[in-house]
Amino acid sequence: MISCEEAKFYLNQCNLTRLDRDKDGVPCEKLCRSN
C-alpha cells in the first residue's frame, strides 16, 4: 500500500480485513495514523 486511501479501498471494496488488525475501522495504522 502506498496511501491511506488505497488501504481503505482494499478494506472496504475487497473486504481485506487483515488490513485492520485491531478492528477499529482504520486499515494500515502506519499509513492512516490520525494526528
Side-chain angles (χ1 to χ4, degrees), residues 1-32:
M1 303 292 153
I2 59 169
S3 70
C4 182
E5 290 75 25
E6 182 182 6
K8 286 180 180 179
F9 172 83
Y10 282 105
L11 177 64
N12 296 320
Q13 299 300 315
C14 304
N15 200 29
L16 291 181
T17 55
R18 71 175 186 266
L19 297 178
D20 182 14
R21 293 180 189 256
D22 61 0
K23 302 190 183 348
D24 66 351
V26 179
C28 297
E29 304 294 331
K30 290 180 182 177
L31 284 175
C32 296

